[in-house]
């Protein structure tokens, strides 16, 4: 997208608005990566982006909306939804892209920042909205698989996404292991089995 | 264990050594919860625990060994291995105990501290040793299930544990949702299916 903008820099309608949005987002993400999400303030964003703070308030309304918009845009750019035609292909591609993002300075700063939200109730709400939107977007991989008949219609899409991304974030944030392609393949095998009808141990537990 | 100690406070052999260990551990955990794992120093531990630093060095050797020993002891106390007789029962009990721990000030501080190790290579090594030991201990739930014939002999015990604990830590650290008993039940259903032979999607993917 930004290449198209660079190729047609002046006349395209919305060109200036879109350059402003990009500069402001970049400033927000830099501050998040350097100092954490709690430290994002509109005066500092205005200074770094070279955009008047009145313009920022007019466009985004609140600091929380601005942070949320910047984080969501960055995630969508860094984690485009794959469309490989199979559930296994989609989950594998998405897992690999997530590992690459977590290895990058942006991703490293972004998810550490999200893990350490200690500020206002508004920031906590923005974080919640971030994940709600991320789940809504990524569950398209699951609904596509249901449409193709690869998964049962009543599949819980959120737990499907969590089973894939949580172990990757867990290794990155907590154990410090770097997940690799072999791990993703192994994980995807388990996730797909988890989502298909099978024996879930209730029989042994006497609660079947 | 500590109740037994309280009941027989003076004469039990090893009583003093065990009280010293407890006081030192408590000082380490308090500093971890208050300031993070990077800030644990032997002089401060010595002051808080009322134990000479020469005694601490004699017993633990290094700061890193001391931190590791304290974190492992706290985890073992807070997350005793369940032995319910079924895989489903064990995983459910363990998941519930983990949620309780993450809700407590100790667990909150402990895992946030582990997520933000930025200090020395030794601390990074101690963190790695922490998780290696935790995995070794917790995989007993999986090996018991294999012995009972509930899981195939080639089950990957580490991924089994990760599929259970990663989504719980993920919600706690990243999304801010509080996992509850219903979520644990739902998660355990998926984990057990993931570990049993089933269709893993390789057929659709043309790689079967």
């Amino acid at each position: 997208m930004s290449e198209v903008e660079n190729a047609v820099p002046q006349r395209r309608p919305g060109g200036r608005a879109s350059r402003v949005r990009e500069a402001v987002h970049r400033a927000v993400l830099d501050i998040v990566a350097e100092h954490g999400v709690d430290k994002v303030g509109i005066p500092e964003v205005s200074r770094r982006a070279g955009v008047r703070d009145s313009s920022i308030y007019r466009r985004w309304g609140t600091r929380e909306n601005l942070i949320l918009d910047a984080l969501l845009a960055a995630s969508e750019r860094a984690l485009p939804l794959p469309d490989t035609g199979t559930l296994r292909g989609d989950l594998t591609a998405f897992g690999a892209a997530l590992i690459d993002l977590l290895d990058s300075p942006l991703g490293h700063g972004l998810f550490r920042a999200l893990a350490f939200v200690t500020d206002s109730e508004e920031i906590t709400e923005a974080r919640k909205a971030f994940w709600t939107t991320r789940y809504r977007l990524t569950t398209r991989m699951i609904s596509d698989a249901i449409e193709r008949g690869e998964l049962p219609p009543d599949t819980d899409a959120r737990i499907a996404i969590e089973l894939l991304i949580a172990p990757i974030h867990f290794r990155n944030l907590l154990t410090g292991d770097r997940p690799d392609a072999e791990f993703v393949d192994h994980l995807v095998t388990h996730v797909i089995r988890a989502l298909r009808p099978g024996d879930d141990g209730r029989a042994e537990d006497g609660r079947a």
Side-chain angles (χ1 to χ4, degrees), chain A:
Chain A
M1 256 186 343
S2 65
E3 277 175 33
V4 173
E5 272 173 36
N6 289 339
V8 193
Q10 302 304 340
R11 304 290 168 76
R12 199 164 62 80
R16 193 185 121 69
S18 130
R19 280 195 305 279
V20 164
R21 184 167 184 253
E22 217 168 87
V24 168
H25 279 180
R26 187 176 316 263
V28 172
L29 298 171
D30 285 348
I31 300 171
V32 167
E34 288 164 27
H35 306 292
V37 71
D38 293 359
K39 296 292 183 289
V40 176
I42 288 183
E44 174 72 3
V45 172
S46 158
R47 199 186 59 73
R48 290 194 186 209
V51 172
R52 270 178 229 194
D53 54 8
S54 59
S55 307
I56 297 177
Y57 280 110
R58 196 164 53 241
R59 178 151 186 172
W60 282 279
T62 64
R63 170 177 168 256
E64 289 71 29
N65 281 340
L66 170 60
I67 294 170
L68 179 60
D69 189 46
L71 294 183
L72 282 171
S75 302
E76 282 176 53
R77 264 196 311 274
L79 293 172
L81 272 189
D83 189 9
T84 64
T86 66
L87 176 62
R88 189 167 185 101
D90 283 358
L91 296 181
T92 303
F94 193 79
L98 178 58
I99 289 173
D100 287 345
L101 174 61
L102 291 174
D103 268 346
S104 73
L106 167 68
H108 190 85
L110 195 151
F111 290 103
R112 272 179 170 62
L114 283 171
F116 277 68
V117 169
T118 53
D119 194 37
S120 60
E121 203 167 309
E122 284 74 24
I123 290 277
T124 307
E125 282 303 306
R127 174 169 80 163
K128 201 170 169 179
F130 172 86
W131 286 107
T132 304
T133 308
R134 290 297 307 160
Y135 283 127
R136 191 172 45 68
L137 292 170
T138 51
T139 54
R140 214 211 58 216
M141 292 185 280
I142 307 304
S143 55
D144 285 356
I146 293 172
E147 270 179 40
R148 286 190 300 259
E150 288 189 83
L151 288 176
D154 64 349
T155 303
D156 179 338
R158 177 167 170 182
I159 208 166
I161 299 297
E162 281 183 306
L163 286 170
L164 177 68
I165 70 176
I168 294 173
H169 281 286
F170 179 74
R171 288 188 171 211
N172 185 271
L173 271 172
L174 281 171
T175 71
D177 290 314
R178 192 188 176 283
D180 59 12
E182 198 186 335
F183 174 69
V184 171
D185 188 67
H186 194 49
L187 179 60
V188 167
T189 292
H190 285 80
V191 173
I192 296 180
R193 284 201 306 238
L195 300 176
R196 294 190 163 167
D199 180 354
D200 64 8
R202 285 190 198 272
E204 291 93 345
D205 211 37
R207 286 191 271 151

